[in-house]
Amino acid sequence: MALKRSDMIRHGLFIYYTLKPFRFSLVKHQVMNRMESLVKKKQGMRIIDLAVSYQCNLACAHCSTGLLNKERGVLSLDDYRNIVKQAESLDNLSFNITGGEPLLWPGLYDLIPALKPGKHYISIQTNGMLLSKEKADTLARLGVNCITTSLDSPYRDVHNRFRGSKHSYDGVMHAVRHAKKAGMQVLVGTTVTHDNLRSKELESMIRLVNGLGAICLFNLAVPCGNWTGNRHVILKGSDREYLQQLMDRFPATSTDHEPGRNGKGCPAAMEKIYITPYGDILPCPFMHISFGNVRTGKLKDVVMKMRNNPYLKGYPGICVAAEDHHFQREVLSRLPDMGDLPVDYQTVFDHKTDGDKCNEHK
């Protein structure tokens, strides 16, 4: 099938993000491994999210990580080195450092070299409040390729209310400029809901983000965390079709489906996983289901277990957590009543579900 013009532009931007800042060893590793995936149909990981801490300096209305914050032993630097080593068996291409707010975490500068930026693409997901010019320069020097931050409205007051800080909007703007001046790429995420998808505000947001020289990344609303049980925010009906039309009009936009390494669709388990500060391995940040722990099991075995789950098999055409209404009803909505989060996958899937229903929205 021929690529649309918007898809060609989008893929060109993804390539550009890989090439700059230029590191020959990184580009060589990325290109060779992606070619191997294409030619040999080799299923490799695209990205591993590492949540290093749930400490944060904001109180966002939609936060989903606070419920995962526990009084438990956190991963050590040696644990992270072991993750990097085990990730080689999964042919992983990149690591995304997230939180909470990772710039508050004291171990950040030691972790980045341990992630081997000479071969792995490194990104940091931050609210931007703490990204000074000096810190941006240091992160770039250590090997960080990309800063990902979030903007919830093109209007300062609306964004600040959503984030719980009157300084958040300006913090994002300063962070974007500092990151780009330091030579790093920038992604700006915004949450897309059923209510704002067709709004002029969202189009203004896209134009603002693109005008800053960044890709606008659409994060689809999920009924979990502070939005548990909130059915009003999730996409429904023709929303996905309209979202695609919006991305056709604005090529410098993307969901997490478009950068796919081995296929296009929901990347959870197939080429993306999320690891908590305590070592729990989740399919994605919004599915609070643990399939294992890096301290007690092999990373590859856990990922294979995930990929055999009927909800996660074979790149579903929609975001499972955000758009699969059967998954939301039968799994996601029940998690808070099953015990401490994340809930062990055996507890979650002990109640048998109809295999056809598992795929009814895929």
Side-chain angles (χ1 to χ4, degrees):
M1 182 184 295
L3 285 176
K4 291 181 291 188
R5 178 177 178 274
S6 58
D7 289 333
M8 293 176 65
I9 294 172
R10 186 172 294 110
H11 284 295
L13 287 170
F14 293 151
I15 293 171
Y16 177 71
Y17 268 53
T18 303
L19 294 177
K20 187 180 178 183
F22 184 81
R23 293 197 296 273
F24 178 77
S25 59
L26 169 66
V27 173
K28 178 183 176 183
H29 182 259
Q30 298 281 314
V31 171
M32 289 182 64
N33 285 40
R34 282 185 176 268
M35 287 299 295
E36 190 173 12
S37 291
L38 183 65
V39 174
K40 295 184 179 180
K41 307 296 182 184
K42 182 179 179 181
Q43 182 70 41
M45 294 295 292
R46 170 165 57 95
I47 187 167
I48 295 177
D49 282 336
L50 299 174
V52 293
S53 168
Y54 291 133
Q55 183 182 4
C56 191
N57 52 346
L58 291 181
C60 303
H62 65 329
C63 183
S64 65
T65 60
L67 294 176
L68 295 173
N69 194 13
K70 307 295 178 187
E71 292 294 329
R72 295 171 56 192
V74 296
L75 297 177
S76 67
L77 186 58
D78 283 340
D79 288 326
Y80 284 113
R81 290 192 180 105
N82 183 46
I83 290 171
V84 175
K85 183 176 181 179
Q86 289 198 50
E88 292 179 3
S89 66
L90 292 165
D91 199 23
N92 180 54
L93 294 180
S94 56
F95 290 98
N96 176 51
I97 304 170
T98 184
E101 173 49 56
L103 297 187
L104 285 170
W105 187 57
L108 182 62
Y109 290 170
D110 291 326
L111 175 62
I112 295 167
L115 300 181
K116 299 184 178 180
K119 63 187 295 188
H120 297 123
Y121 192 88
I122 309 296
S123 58
I124 294 181
Q125 196 164 337
T126 171
N127 60 43
M129 298 280 286
L130 301 175
L131 190 64
S132 63
K133 179 184 181 301
E134 293 74 22
K135 191 161 289 187
D137 289 340
T138 299
L139 294 175
R141 186 170 63 252
L142 287 171
V144 175
N145 299 81
C146 181
I147 293 295
T148 300
T149 189
S150 299
L151 199 61
D152 299 292
S153 173
Y155 311 123
R156 178 181 279 102
D157 290 346
V158 176
H159 170 86
N160 286 344
R161 280 198 303 273
F162 192 83
R163 293 283 162 173
S165 168
K166 63 182 180 180
H167 303 296
S168 178
Y169 183 94
D170 292 334
V172 171
M173 294 299 153
H174 291 314
V176 170
R177 296 186 183 101
H178 292 328
K180 292 187 72 66
K181 191 168 183 180
M184 294 181 286
Q185 298 290 358
V186 176
L187 291 171
V188 178
T190 191
T191 303
V192 175
T193 70
H194 174 71
D195 294 329
N196 75 0
L197 176 61
R198 291 170 171 81
S199 69
K200 293 298 182 184
E201 184 176 358
L202 183 58
E203 292 192 16
S204 297
M205 165 78 74
I206 296 168
R207 292 188 176 94
L208 172 61
V209 171
N210 290 169
L212 293 170
I215 291 176
C216 186
L217 182 64
F218 296 140
N219 300 313
L220 308 187
V222 179
C224 72
N226 289 346
W227 277 354
T228 297
N230 189 343
R231 307 282 302 171
H232 300 291
V233 297
I234 62 175
L235 301 190
K236 52 183 74 75
S238 61
D239 287 350
R240 165 60 73 165
E241 182 180 351
Y242 183 84
L243 180 63
Q244 185 58 57
Q245 293 171 2
L246 194 64
M247 289 195 292
D248 289 342
R249 289 174 53 205
F250 297 97
T253 60
S254 179
T255 70
D256 205 17
H257 292 199
E258 282 67 36
R261 171 181 177 177
N262 308 284
K264 182 178 177 180
C266 184
M270 296 303 296
E271 57 181 61
K272 180 177 182 177
I273 57 172
Y274 174 92
I275 301 177
T276 73
Y278 322 110
D280 301 302
I281 306 167
L282 284 55
C284 90
F286 306 108
M287 296 183 192
H288 297 165
I289 306 167
S290 175
F291 281 77
N293 191 289
V294 295
R295 287 168 164 162
T296 58
K298 291 183 178 179
L299 193 57
K300 186 173 184 178
D301 292 343
V302 175
V303 170
M304 295 303 113
K305 193 190 308 176
M306 286 183 184
R307 290 176 181 170
N308 285 326
N309 184 279
Y311 286 106
L312 304 173
K313 279 185 176 178
Y315 293 97
I318 57 176
C319 174
V320 175
E323 297 174 275
D324 188 329
H325 298 164
H326 181 269
F327 178 80
Q328 293 167 355
R329 183 176 63 252
E330 296 298 322
V331 179
L332 213 55
S333 66
R334 298 182 178 185
L335 294 181
D337 299 324
M338 290 184 176
D340 289 340
L341 299 176
V343 182
D344 183 84
Y345 80 103
Q346 291 176 311
T347 301
V348 175
F349 297 109
D350 261 354
H351 67 284
K352 303 297 182 183
T353 54
D354 186 334
D356 292 333
K357 287 184 178 181
C358 291
N359 295 283
E360 67 175 292
H361 294 290
K362 297 180 183 180

